[in-house]
Amino acid sequence: MSKVLYKNYHLSLYKTERGFIYAQRRNVNSTASLLFKKVKNDYKFLLRYQPLPELKINKNKSGWKTLFPCCVTGSLEKNETPIINCIKEIKEETGFNITKSNIKASNIAVASTQSNECVYNFIVDISNCRKSNQQLGDGSIFENVSKNIWVSHKELKSILLKNKIYLSSLASAYLLFLDKIYLKEKTND
């Protein structure tokens, strides 16, 4: 049985009988959505650059000095399905209005052996989607400093091979894209 050391609305700290301390977010599971569109004979990907606040190298007196590439992410709310969360987070963080038909594939990854978080990865084709004019973000400091940047397929591969730090869900979602979209397309050529 674990003992609660600290608890607030977003996070709880627990200590096991054997002394292991671990954190549990309020909403355990999350989504990570890699948005893409076909441009001529290649692909463009919309990456979400956001802070990773736990990194000491990432702070300066005015806030975060470095933003790291990742997918569009979000924590599942109670009784919310991963698909609904994917759709909601994409609209909130990018302004694109998508439907289930834009979701081309998904899989589930376990965040680490030290937590029970499942990350639902989605690859989403936004080639024919329209953007809303609503203000982006949920008002949190993380979303206020985050930004979206379109990158080419070549640039995404370079990010994954040469960057020292990025969210692991970006690599997981990209592998899903390779398997379900890119390699399938190349096989049919």
mmCIF file of all heavy atoms in Angstrom, residues 8-27:
data_model
loop_
_atom_site.group_PDB
_atom_site.id
_atom_site.type_symbol
_atom_site.label_atom_id
_atom_site.label_comp_id
_atom_site.label_asym_id
_atom_site.label_seq_id
_atom_site.Cartn_x
_atom_site.Cartn_y
_atom_site.Cartn_z
ATOM 1 N N ASN A 8 -2.230 17.777 -4.741
ATOM 2 C CA ASN A 8 -2.968 18.969 -5.118
ATOM 3 C C ASN A 8 -3.858 18.596 -6.296
ATOM 4 O O ASN A 8 -3.956 17.418 -6.647
ATOM 5 C CB ASN A 8 -2.040 20.169 -5.405
ATOM 6 C CG ASN A 8 -1.201 20.007 -6.649
ATOM 7 O OD1 ASN A 8 -1.504 19.222 -7.549
ATOM 8 N ND2 ASN A 8 -0.120 20.767 -6.718
ATOM 9 N N TYR A 9 -4.468 19.562 -6.931
ATOM 10 C CA TYR A 9 -5.419 19.269 -7.993
ATOM 11 C C TYR A 9 -4.792 18.497 -9.149
ATOM 12 O O TYR A 9 -5.409 17.630 -9.730
ATOM 13 C CB TYR A 9 -6.030 20.581 -8.507
ATOM 14 C CG TYR A 9 -7.049 20.387 -9.607
ATOM 15 C CD1 TYR A 9 -8.310 19.855 -9.314
ATOM 16 C CD2 TYR A 9 -6.751 20.712 -10.923
ATOM 17 C CE1 TYR A 9 -9.239 19.669 -10.325
ATOM 18 C CE2 TYR A 9 -7.681 20.528 -11.926
ATOM 19 C CZ TYR A 9 -8.926 20.000 -11.622
ATOM 20 O OH TYR A 9 -9.845 19.804 -12.621
ATOM 21 N N HIS A 10 -3.542 18.792 -9.477
ATOM 22 C CA HIS A 10 -2.907 18.218 -10.659
ATOM 23 C C HIS A 10 -1.999 17.024 -10.384
ATOM 24 O O HIS A 10 -1.753 16.227 -11.278
ATOM 25 C CB HIS A 10 -2.083 19.278 -11.384
ATOM 26 C CG HIS A 10 -2.914 20.380 -11.942
ATOM 27 N ND1 HIS A 10 -3.704 20.233 -13.041
ATOM 28 C CD2 HIS A 10 -3.080 21.657 -11.527
ATOM 29 C CE1 HIS A 10 -4.330 21.360 -13.292
ATOM 30 N NE2 HIS A 10 -3.979 22.243 -12.393
ATOM 31 N N LEU A 11 -1.464 16.881 -9.170
ATOM 32 C CA LEU A 11 -0.410 15.910 -8.926
ATOM 33 C C LEU A 11 -0.467 15.338 -7.525
ATOM 34 O O LEU A 11 -0.806 16.046 -6.576
ATOM 35 C CB LEU A 11 0.947 16.619 -9.130
ATOM 36 C CG LEU A 11 2.199 15.792 -9.008
ATOM 37 C CD1 LEU A 11 2.370 14.924 -10.254
ATOM 38 C CD2 LEU A 11 3.402 16.711 -8.861
ATOM 39 N N SER A 12 -0.098 14.067 -7.409
ATOM 40 C CA SER A 12 0.035 13.422 -6.098
ATOM 41 C C SER A 12 1.390 12.743 -6.029
ATOM 42 O O SER A 12 1.860 12.180 -7.019
ATOM 43 C CB SER A 12 -1.050 12.363 -5.901
ATOM 44 O OG SER A 12 -2.330 12.928 -5.948
ATOM 45 N N LEU A 13 2.025 12.811 -4.861
ATOM 46 C CA LEU A 13 3.273 12.093 -4.615
ATOM 47 C C LEU A 13 2.988 10.958 -3.651
ATOM 48 O O LEU A 13 2.334 11.151 -2.619
ATOM 49 C CB LEU A 13 4.335 13.011 -4.018
ATOM 50 C CG LEU A 13 4.931 14.064 -4.927
ATOM 51 C CD1 LEU A 13 5.926 14.926 -4.159
ATOM 52 C CD2 LEU A 13 5.619 13.421 -6.121
ATOM 53 N N TYR A 14 3.498 9.774 -3.980
ATOM 54 C CA TYR A 14 3.276 8.589 -3.165
ATOM 55 C C TYR A 14 4.608 7.976 -2.759
ATOM 56 O O TYR A 14 5.608 8.113 -3.465
ATOM 57 C CB TYR A 14 2.494 7.528 -3.957
ATOM 58 C CG TYR A 14 1.114 7.957 -4.367
ATOM 59 C CD1 TYR A 14 0.897 8.514 -5.623
ATOM 60 C CD2 TYR A 14 0.032 7.788 -3.508
ATOM 61 C CE1 TYR A 14 -0.375 8.902 -6.015
ATOM 62 C CE2 TYR A 14 -1.243 8.179 -3.897
ATOM 63 C CZ TYR A 14 -1.435 8.730 -5.152
ATOM 64 O OH TYR A 14 -2.693 9.110 -5.526
ATOM 65 N N LYS A 15 4.582 7.255 -1.625
ATOM 66 C CA LYS A 15 5.746 6.504 -1.171
ATOM 67 C C LYS A 15 5.282 5.082 -0.894
ATOM 68 O O LYS A 15 4.325 4.862 -0.155
ATOM 69 C CB LYS A 15 6.331 7.132 0.096
ATOM 70 C CG LYS A 15 7.608 6.470 0.566
ATOM 71 C CD LYS A 15 8.197 7.231 1.751
ATOM 72 C CE LYS A 15 9.533 6.644 2.142
ATOM 73 N NZ LYS A 15 10.137 7.418 3.242
ATOM 74 N N THR A 16 5.986 4.123 -1.507
ATOM 75 C CA THR A 16 5.626 2.720 -1.307
ATOM 76 C C THR A 16 6.167 2.228 0.030
ATOM 77 O O THR A 16 6.999 2.897 0.665
ATOM 78 C CB THR A 16 6.192 1.826 -2.429
ATOM 79 O OG1 THR A 16 7.621 1.821 -2.340
ATOM 80 C CG2 THR A 16 5.749 2.295 -3.802
ATOM 81 N N GLU A 17 5.733 1.058 0.439
ATOM 82 C CA GLU A 17 6.204 0.470 1.695
ATOM 83 C C GLU A 17 7.711 0.255 1.693
ATOM 84 O O GLU A 17 8.344 0.269 2.740
ATOM 85 C CB GLU A 17 5.486 -0.864 1.941
ATOM 86 C CG GLU A 17 4.020 -0.710 2.249
ATOM 87 C CD GLU A 17 3.291 -2.044 2.368
ATOM 88 O OE1 GLU A 17 3.916 -3.113 2.237
ATOM 89 O OE2 GLU A 17 2.070 -2.000 2.587
ATOM 90 N N ARG A 18 8.298 0.089 0.509
ATOM 91 C CA ARG A 18 9.738 -0.147 0.393
ATOM 92 C C ARG A 18 10.525 1.134 0.152
ATOM 93 O O ARG A 18 11.713 1.092 -0.119
ATOM 94 C CB ARG A 18 10.002 -1.154 -0.714
ATOM 95 C CG ARG A 18 9.345 -2.503 -0.359
ATOM 96 C CD ARG A 18 9.614 -3.561 -1.349
ATOM 97 N NE ARG A 18 10.982 -4.026 -1.199
ATOM 98 C CZ ARG A 18 11.560 -4.843 -2.050
ATOM 99 N NH1 ARG A 18 10.903 -5.280 -3.086
ATOM 100 N NH2 ARG A 18 12.802 -5.217 -1.864
ATOM 101 N N GLY A 19 9.869 2.300 0.224
ATOM 102 C CA GLY A 19 10.554 3.577 0.147
ATOM 103 C C GLY A 19 10.647 4.217 -1.224
ATOM 104 O O GLY A 19 11.230 5.294 -1.368
ATOM 105 N N PHE A 20 10.072 3.620 -2.257
ATOM 106 C CA PHE A 20 10.097 4.205 -3.599
ATOM 107 C C PHE A 20 9.081 5.336 -3.655
ATOM 108 O O PHE A 20 7.922 5.168 -3.286
ATOM 109 C CB PHE A 20 9.780 3.131 -4.646
ATOM 110 C CG PHE A 20 9.761 3.640 -6.054
ATOM 111 C CD1 PHE A 20 10.943 3.975 -6.695
ATOM 112 C CD2 PHE A 20 8.571 3.797 -6.742
ATOM 113 C CE1 PHE A 20 10.942 4.438 -8.001
ATOM 114 C CE2 PHE A 20 8.549 4.260 -8.048
ATOM 115 C CZ PHE A 20 9.747 4.586 -8.672
ATOM 116 N N ILE A 21 9.501 6.512 -4.129
ATOM 117 C CA ILE A 21 8.617 7.668 -4.243
ATOM 118 C C ILE A 21 8.321 7.902 -5.717
ATOM 119 O O ILE A 21 9.228 7.895 -6.547
ATOM 120 C CB ILE A 21 9.252 8.919 -3.606
ATOM 121 C CG1 ILE A 21 9.457 8.685 -2.101
ATOM 122 C CG2 ILE A 21 8.384 10.146 -3.857
ATOM 123 C CD1 ILE A 21 10.203 9.787 -1.393
ATOM 124 N N TYR A 22 7.035 8.095 -6.016
ATOM 125 C CA TYR A 22 6.651 8.329 -7.406
ATOM 126 C C TYR A 22 5.540 9.366 -7.470
ATOM 127 O O TYR A 22 4.822 9.594 -6.499
ATOM 128 C CB TYR A 22 6.218 7.034 -8.107
ATOM 129 C CG TYR A 22 4.990 6.373 -7.517
ATOM 130 C CD1 TYR A 22 3.730 6.596 -8.082
ATOM 131 C CD2 TYR A 22 5.073 5.531 -6.416
ATOM 132 C CE1 TYR A 22 2.602 5.993 -7.561
ATOM 133 C CE2 TYR A 22 3.954 4.926 -5.887
ATOM 134 C CZ TYR A 22 2.719 5.156 -6.465
ATOM 135 O OH TYR A 22 1.593 4.562 -5.940
ATOM 136 N N ALA A 23 5.441 10.003 -8.637
ATOM 137 C CA ALA A 23 4.419 11.029 -8.871
ATOM 138 C C ALA A 23 3.335 10.458 -9.765
ATOM 139 O O ALA A 23 3.600 9.630 -10.636
ATOM 140 C CB ALA A 23 5.041 12.253 -9.532
ATOM 141 N N GLN A 24 2.124 10.892 -9.528
ATOM 142 C CA GLN A 24 0.996 10.479 -10.359
ATOM 143 C C GLN A 24 0.195 11.729 -10.718
ATOM 144 O O GLN A 24 -0.247 12.462 -9.835
ATOM 145 C CB GLN A 24 0.098 9.505 -9.592
ATOM 146 C CG GLN A 24 -1.046 8.964 -10.389
ATOM 147 C CD GLN A 24 -0.556 8.055 -11.502
ATOM 148 O OE1 GLN A 24 0.065 7.037 -11.247
ATOM 149 N NE2 GLN A 24 -0.820 8.437 -12.722
ATOM 150 N N ARG A 25 0.060 11.990 -12.023
ATOM 151 C CA ARG A 25 -0.756 13.117 -12.447
ATOM 152 C C ARG A 25 -2.227 12.811 -12.188
ATOM 153 O O ARG A 25 -2.633 11.660 -12.155
ATOM 154 C CB ARG A 25 -0.568 13.390 -13.943
ATOM 155 C CG ARG A 25 0.800 13.852 -14.297
ATOM 156 C CD ARG A 25 0.911 14.219 -15.741
ATOM 157 N NE ARG A 25 0.253 13.261 -16.614
ATOM 158 C CZ ARG A 25 0.314 13.303 -17.922
ATOM 159 N NH1 ARG A 25 0.995 14.249 -18.508
ATOM 160 N NH2 ARG A 25 -0.298 12.411 -18.656
ATOM 161 N N ARG A 26 -3.018 13.858 -12.065
ATOM 162 C CA ARG A 26 -4.462 13.693 -11.864
ATOM 163 C C ARG A 26 -5.058 12.886 -13.008
ATOM 164 O O ARG A 26 -5.832 11.963 -12.804
ATOM 165 C CB ARG A 26 -5.133 15.070 -11.775
ATOM 166 C CG ARG A 26 -6.662 15.015 -11.698
ATOM 167 C CD ARG A 26 -7.261 16.408 -11.545
ATOM 168 N NE ARG A 26 -6.966 17.292 -12.639
ATOM 169 C CZ ARG A 26 -7.761 17.478 -13.706
ATOM 170 N NH1 ARG A 26 -8.897 16.847 -13.795
ATOM 171 N NH2 ARG A 26 -7.417 18.311 -14.651
ATOM 172 N N ASN A 27 -4.709 13.272 -14.203
ATOM 173 C CA ASN A 27 -5.167 12.548 -15.383
ATOM 174 C C ASN A 27 -3.988 11.736 -15.890
ATOM 175 O O ASN A 27 -3.043 12.283 -16.438
ATOM 176 C CB ASN A 27 -5.636 13.524 -16.458
ATOM 177 C CG ASN A 27 -6.761 14.387 -15.936
ATOM 178 O OD1 ASN A 27 -7.632 13.913 -15.230
ATOM 179 N ND2 ASN A 27 -6.727 15.661 -16.256
#
